[in-house]
């Protein structure tokens, strides 16, 4: 039987001190992928050694790319060039990682050999038609299950040609998948997004010396070039920092500094939304490192109030809603979210699972098709099922700071996909949390 991890959070306390949360997951995936297909060596600092980015790393090792981890957070990738990957012996198992599967489907579509991409139960339920559809328009040959999900069987040797694609959903994973396929395509591949999404792929391709053309809402890439190995400094992940931004905001007396956090403007929706709610967050020492903006975030407890979340901020905070829902539960008045139907197809259905968990703790939460209404109020102790979703597990841990009884969060093992060491770091900052492994 698979072991489960249960978090037990004792009520009360606050957060303080200085913390550097692990490296950005999106940037870590891309550093391995681009490093692998570059010419020469890429040195990565601050790499996230979580299960998701390690799944990407192992997949490229399985395709013959020499990759070493000489010390924590340091990774050396000896790039094999655009056409140097070798056929893997087995299917590439990408675990829980949607980013690995969607981005790699683009990259693998350009290879001369076949690949099979598989994942865990959650990943095998997530929609892949959003990438296999436009890839087929480029000439790729990919088999999915009848419902358009993984396992994916990607046939090698199909010649790709550039397309001009308008994405129906604002998705950085789809955009990045098509740009990676575009490296192997004949001619120009262009992607238009309905709203801005994270642009780490564009920034990192530029850092690897690959030209692309960016205009408002549209990015184009020409196939047939090459990437040059480089050095990448991965900032701390703002999506992991978000739990602490919320925890410190809701717990009286908190005063916390989060170090070296990536503050790319396509990722900072969480800061905007928390500030609209009245949060006290200050950015210090803003600088740019390797093409990505970084800052210290200083957060102090504040009285939060409910807001109507502006829809244009949704894609810029897409992974932070579990944490933001906890902020809403602790705010005065009502918070309304709409335009966020994508939350239903993340690692879990985050609208339903969060609403169920909030209700289990006595909070009013009413899901809608594309969002939720939450009324701030008292949080009681209770049991919450995270449904194996790392961000839901961490969000409910922070709710313990304001609960009037013990909060138990079930099915937390997947926290290791994005935030190894969460319990230790949260405890150091002042959260009374312990993890219990059960069989
Ligand atoms: C990611 C993009 C987002 C995000 C995911 C990581 C990426 O997904 O939710 O955790 O690294 O490109 P979508 O692009 O599907 O919204």
């Amino acid at each position: 039987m698979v072991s489960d991890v249960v978090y037990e959070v004792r009520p009360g306390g606050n957060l303080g001190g200085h913390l550097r949360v692990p490296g950005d997951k999106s940037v870590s995936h891309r550093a391995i992928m681009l490093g692998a297909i570059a010419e020469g060596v890429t040195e990565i600092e601050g790499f996230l050694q979580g299960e998701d980015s390690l799944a990407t790393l192992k997949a490229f090792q399985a395709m013959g790319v020499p990759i070493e981890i000489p010390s924590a957070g340091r990774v050396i990738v000896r790039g094999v060039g655009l056409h140097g990957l070798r056929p893997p012996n087995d299917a590439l198992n990408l675990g829980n990682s949607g980013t690995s599967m969607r981005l790699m489907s683009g990259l693998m579509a350009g290879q001369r050999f076949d690949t099979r991409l598989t994942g865990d139960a959650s990943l095998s339920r997530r929609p892949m038609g959003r990438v296999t559809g436009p890839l087929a328009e480029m000439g790729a040959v990919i088999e999915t299950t009848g419902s358009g999900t993984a396992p994916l069987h990607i046939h090698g040797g199909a010649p790709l040609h550039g397309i001009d694609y308008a994405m129906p959903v604002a998705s950085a994973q789809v955009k990045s998948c098509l740009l990676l396929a575009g490296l192997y395509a004949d001619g120009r591949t262009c992607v238009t997004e309905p709203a801005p999404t994270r642009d780490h792929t564009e920034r990192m391709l530029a850092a690897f010396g690959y030209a692309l053309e960016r205009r408002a809402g549209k990015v184009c890439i020409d196939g047939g070039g090459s990437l040059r190995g480089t050095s990448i400094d991965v900032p701390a992940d703002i999506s992991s920092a978000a739990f602490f931004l919320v925890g410190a905001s809701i717990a009286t007396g908190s005063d916390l500094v989060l170090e070296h956090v990536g503050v790319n403007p396509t990722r900072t929706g969480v800061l905007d939304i928390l500030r609209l709610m009245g949060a006290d967050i200050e950015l210090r020492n803003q600088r740019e490192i390797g093409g990505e903006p970084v800052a210290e975030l200083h957060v102090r407890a504040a009285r939060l109030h409910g807001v109507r979340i502006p829809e244009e901020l949704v894609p810029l905070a897409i992974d932070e809603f579990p944490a933001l829902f906890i902020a809403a539960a602790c705010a005065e008045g009502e918070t309304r979210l709409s335009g966020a139907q994508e939350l239903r197809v993340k690692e879990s259905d985050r609208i339903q699972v969060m609403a169920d968990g909030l209700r289990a703790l006595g909070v009013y939460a009413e899901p809608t098709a594309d969002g939720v209404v939450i009324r701030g109020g008292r949080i009681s102790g209770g049991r919450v099922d995270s449904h194996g979703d790392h961000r839901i597990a961490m969000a409910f841990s922070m709710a313990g700071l304001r609960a009037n009884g013990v909060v138990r969060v079930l099915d937390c093992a997947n926290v290791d996909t994005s935030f190894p060491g969460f319990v230790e770091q949260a405890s150091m900052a002042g959260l009374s949390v312990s993890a219990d492994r059960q069989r």
Side-chain angles (χ1 to χ4, degrees):
M1 197 181 115
V2 184
S3 65
D4 182 22
V5 175
V6 176
Y7 286 173
E8 184 172 295
V9 191
R10 284 173 297 286
N14 56 35
L15 302 183
H18 287 244
L19 219 65
R20 178 165 171 167
V21 299
D24 189 280
K25 186 149 76 74
S26 294
V27 174
S28 295
H29 282 298
R30 288 157 170 83
I32 296 289
M33 292 180 196
L34 297 191
I37 57 168
E39 317 268 341
V41 176
T42 291
E43 290 199 32
I44 310 170
E45 297 283 348
F47 179 76
L48 168 67
Q49 280 172 261
E51 287 170 2
D52 276 11
S53 35
L54 288 171
T56 293
L57 184 150
K58 287 176 192 150
F60 282 91
Q61 282 178 327
M63 292 187 284
V65 182
I67 308 179
E68 299 141 47
I69 310 184
S71 56
R74 200 156 159 254
V75 177
I76 315 268
V77 185
R78 298 185 197 284
V80 296
L82 269 182
H83 301 284
L85 296 175
R86 290 208 303 265
N89 291 330
D90 292 308
L92 301 174
N93 184 349
L94 303 172
N96 194 243
S97 179
T99 307
S100 310
M101 188 168 282
R102 297 219 178 95
L103 270 59
M104 285 181 65
S105 60
L107 201 50
M108 303 326 297
Q111 306 306 315
R112 280 185 277 254
F113 51 85
D114 283 19
T115 32
R116 282 172 206 275
L117 306 183
T118 61
D120 69 6
S122 155
L123 183 52
S124 304
R125 279 193 296 269
R126 298 181 65 186
M128 292 298 147
R130 56 181 60 196
V131 289
T132 57
L135 285 173
E137 284 180 39
M138 294 178 77
V141 181
I142 303 178
E143 289 164 46
T144 64
T145 65
S147 43
T149 51
L152 305 183
H153 180 184
I154 304 174
H155 292 262
L160 303 183
H161 53 83
I163 57 169
D164 195 336
Y165 186 67
M167 291 192 293
V169 284
S171 166
Q173 292 184 347
V174 175
K175 173 178 66 174
S176 302
C177 162
L178 300 181
L179 292 176
L180 293 176
L183 293 171
Y184 293 90
D186 198 24
R188 172 162 277 216
T189 301
C190 295
V191 186
T192 306
E193 45 189 10
T197 65
R198 65 192 68 192
D199 65 356
H200 304 300
T201 305
E202 295 91 310
R203 287 173 186 255
M204 205 183 282
L205 278 167
F208 276 88
Y210 206 102
L212 22 79
E213 195 185 303
R214 299 183 68 183
R215 289 179 254 126
K218 184 166 186 169
V219 54
C220 297
I221 193 165
D222 292 320
S226 63
L227 286 77
R228 266 193 324 274
T230 185
S231 313
I232 307 272
D233 181 332
V234 183
D237 198 329
I238 191 167
S239 298
S240 298
F243 305 106
F244 291 92
L245 293 173
V246 168
S249 296
I250 62 176
T252 312
S254 296
D255 188 333
L256 182 70
V257 176
L258 294 153
E259 295 168 352
H260 206 76
V261 181
V263 287
N264 178 319
T266 59
R267 296 286 298 282
T268 49
V270 62
L271 302 181
D272 299 328
I273 296 168
L274 282 173
R275 282 171 166 161
L276 279 176
M277 299 177 81
D280 177 358
I281 303 171
E282 203 189 316
L283 269 68
R284 296 175 178 165
N285 190 16
Q286 283 196 62
R287 57 212 183 269
E288 190 150 315
I289 293 181
E292 289 281 352
V294 171
E296 262 71 70
L297 304 184
H298 184 192
V299 52
R300 280 178 284 227
R303 273 178 83 93
L304 302 183
H305 52 84
V307 292
R308 180 181 277 278
I309 297 174
E311 287 197 8
E312 67 273 16
L313 292 180
V314 169
L316 309 180
I318 194 66
D319 290 338
E320 287 66 73
F321 284 104
L324 286 166
F325 288 5
I326 300 300
C330 298
E332 219 172 281
E334 199 168 87
T335 294
R336 282 179 174 269
L337 171 68
S338 58
Q341 55 275 24
E342 276 296 296
L343 293 181
R344 291 201 179 270
V345 290
K346 293 293 176 186
E347 286 83 330
S348 70
D349 175 344
R350 287 184 173 160
I351 291 177
Q352 193 60 49
V353 173
M354 282 302 299
D356 291 344
L358 287 170
R359 286 168 169 176
L361 301 183
V363 178
Y364 176 93
E366 196 53 49
T368 63
D370 66 344
V372 71
V373 179
I374 295 169
R375 285 194 200 128
R378 283 160 52 104
I379 300 185
S380 61
R383 275 157 70 97
V384 168
D385 190 344
S386 78
H387 287 264
D389 186 325
H390 55 134
R391 300 202 194 281
I392 290 187
M394 290 185 271
F396 277 110
S397 308
M398 292 297 167
L401 290 161
R402 280 280 289 269
N404 58 20
V406 171
V407 175
R408 285 192 180 77
V409 191
L410 313 183
D411 208 358
C412 296
N414 277 340
V415 166
D416 286 347
T417 60
S418 68
F419 200 147
F422 169 72
V423 168
E424 293 72 20
Q425 283 207 342
S427 305
M428 258 170 44
L431 188 74
S432 296
V433 57
S434 57
D436 199 10
R437 193 168 283 278
Q438 308 195 330
R439 287 211 161 257

